[in-house]
Amino acid sequence: MKYAKYLCVAMLLVFATVLSGCGSSAQKETRTVAVCFPNTTPSWQRNGDSLQKLLEEDGFEVNIQFSATVDEQKQQIKDSIAKKPNCMVIGAIDSSALSDVLEDAKKRNIPVIAFDRIIMNTDALSYYASFDNYAIGDGMGEYIAAALNLKNGGGPYNIEFFAGGPSDNNAHIFFENTMKILEPYLKSGQLVCRSGQVTFDKVAVADWNSANAAPRINELLNNYYTDAPLQVVLSPNDDIAGVILGEIEKAGKPYPIISGLDGDPAAFERIKQGKQTFTIGKDPDVLTAKCVRMIKAVVEGVQPDINDVTNYNNGVKVVPSFLCTPMIIDKTNVNAIAGN
């Protein structure tokens, strides 16, 4: 009986130790993710809210912060690094302004995932989750070329160009890849840019702020298109397309063939009304869901799925990336995608 008594006590002690160990293990397994996004457009807020919701449903503790300026974002990143999260997800306001602040993340072995915009000039960046930005640029150029029948000698058509914010590397990729397709038609005279403004620095819209496009489109209309039609406009996104079309409408001019990007609901309505020609959809749910899967893999210490290891060199390294597929949306499919 005495032996049985001691055995029972010993088993209780072991059981208590196991329970204690389980408790500490559970505590160690708390998984934290820091998310630092801009609040410069409503889409960033939506993406951030969606990412937070999906992560919290998966049991992650999420510290999400939004910033309006580069300096504010840098401070938020510093504060986040100090809390030693298991992973950081950053949507950069300025793609080239964060290399210094991320050095501390590298020293602390905190994985960093760039969301939508790659972060330049740093080896602290672990992965990149975005849409296929090269395909977006190609898609814009190919659509315009096909709509104008340029491959079969169509033209001449008057065209003007707009590009996104200079601080966003994606804007450069979109523009450069579109121009690779359209430049031969400029040289052949099938496309005519009456302003002569065909380089990124001349046509970029500061900070992607659509309001900054209004003065330029009016200047173009007043200086170059009083006696000639503006038939084609390359717009880098839907917000900017909306402003350009609004100013063209005010001037009493016919709507040109015009591009867009993001697949905004307002763009869908303009397409249905025959104002905007097309947009390239970037489904935010697709990107946030993919980013969550990447985060889970990184935190669990396994290699996340990637599908590009060649195209995204940030100036220091080729960043392993997962690129979601964009979709061209025009009058032929807008009702099916956006609903009637």
Side-chain angles (χ1 to χ4, degrees), residues 20-77:
S20 174
C22 286
S24 61
S25 175
Q27 188 174 11
K28 288 179 183 177
E29 287 178 2
T30 299
R31 302 172 300 170
T32 59
V33 179
V35 179
C36 297
F37 276 6
N39 64 1
T40 50
T41 63
S43 62
W44 280 111
Q45 185 71 50
R46 290 195 299 269
N47 287 337
D49 292 345
S50 176
L51 194 61
Q52 181 177 18
K53 180 176 180 291
L54 290 173
L55 286 169
E56 289 178 346
E57 287 174 354
D58 249 324
F60 286 89
E61 180 181 306
V62 182
N63 174 27
I64 185 166
Q65 300 179 86
F66 294 92
S67 51
T69 66
V70 173
D71 288 341
E72 184 182 11
Q73 185 168 63
K74 281 186 171 185
Q75 187 59 53
Q76 289 177 354
I77 291 171

Side-chain angles (χ1 to χ4, degrees), residues 4-300:
K5 178 180 178 182
Y6 289 144
L7 180 61
C8 184
V9 170
M11 289 179 68
L12 286 170
L13 287 171
V14 170
F15 186 59
T17 303
V18 170
L19 285 176
S20 174
C22 286
S24 61
S25 175
Q27 188 174 11
K28 288 179 183 177
E29 287 178 2
T30 299
R31 302 172 300 170
T32 59
V33 179
V35 179
C36 297
F37 276 6
N39 64 1
T40 50
T41 63
S43 62
W44 280 111
Q45 185 71 50
R46 290 195 299 269
N47 287 337
D49 292 345
S50 176
L51 194 61
Q52 181 177 18
K53 180 176 180 291
L54 290 173
L55 286 169
E56 289 178 346
E57 287 174 354
D58 249 324
F60 286 89
E61 180 181 306
V62 182
N63 174 27
I64 185 166
Q65 300 179 86
F66 294 92
S67 51
T69 66
V70 173
D71 288 341
E72 184 182 11
Q73 185 168 63
K74 281 186 171 185
Q75 187 59 53
Q76 289 177 354
I77 291 171
K78 287 179 183 178
D79 294 343
S80 296
I81 292 171
K83 295 176 182 176
K84 300 179 182 178
N86 297 109
C87 182
M88 293 190 70
V89 182
I90 299 174
I93 290 180
D94 186 332
S95 299
S96 60
L98 301 179
S99 57
D100 54 344
V101 74
L102 288 177
E103 281 301 309
D104 200 28
K106 182 184 175 185
K107 291 175 184 175
R108 295 172 184 252
N109 295 314
I110 300 171
V112 177
I113 297 173
F115 186 96
D116 196 42
R117 297 177 178 177
I118 197 167
I119 301 171
M120 302 297 291
N121 304 317
T122 176
D123 61 356
L125 183 58
S126 308
Y127 298 101
Y128 177 43
S130 186
F131 284 84
D132 189 336
N133 299 309
Y134 293 91
I136 288 171
D138 290 344
M140 286 186 177
E142 292 287 0
Y143 191 103
I144 290 170
L148 300 175
N149 199 29
L150 297 178
K151 289 182 180 179
N152 294 318
Y157 297 101
N158 295 325
I159 186 171
E160 293 295 339
F161 300 91
F162 288 75
S167 63
D168 179 3
N169 190 60
N170 289 351
H172 295 265
I173 294 173
F174 300 155
F175 185 75
E176 288 166 10
N177 277 268
T178 302
M179 292 303 288
K180 283 179 186 177
I181 292 168
L182 297 184
E183 275 174 351
Y185 302 114
L186 286 166
K187 290 179 179 177
S188 71
Q190 291 172 261
L191 292 177
V192 178
C193 180
R194 291 171 68 90
S195 73
Q197 298 169 11
V198 297
T199 58
F200 184 90
D201 61 312
K202 295 289 186 182
V203 304
V205 177
D207 303 320
W208 286 96
N209 187 337
S210 58
N212 293 331
R216 182 163 177 265
I217 186 60
N218 281 314
E219 179 184 351
L220 292 172
L221 293 173
N222 293 331
N223 292 343
Y224 303 101
Y225 295 98
T226 55
D227 59 352
L230 174 56
Q231 295 157 306
V232 191
V233 176
L234 176 70
S235 168
N237 74 1
D238 292 333
D239 283 344
I240 291 169
V243 167
I244 291 170
L245 287 169
E247 297 303 315
I248 287 174
E249 195 172 61
K250 288 178 189 176
K253 303 282 188 179
Y255 298 120
I257 288 174
I258 186 168
S259 61
L261 174 65
D262 291 331
D264 287 346
F268 293 157
E269 289 305 310
R270 289 193 296 268
I271 291 170
K272 291 177 185 178
Q273 295 164 7
K275 297 179 179 180
Q276 184 169 329
T277 314
F278 73 102
T279 183
I280 297 183
K282 296 165 59 180
D283 188 335
D285 293 338
V286 171
L287 181 57
T288 52
K290 180 59 202 177
C291 190
V292 167
R293 291 195 293 273
M294 292 181 77
I295 293 165
K296 289 172 66 176
V298 166
V299 171
E300 290 166 7

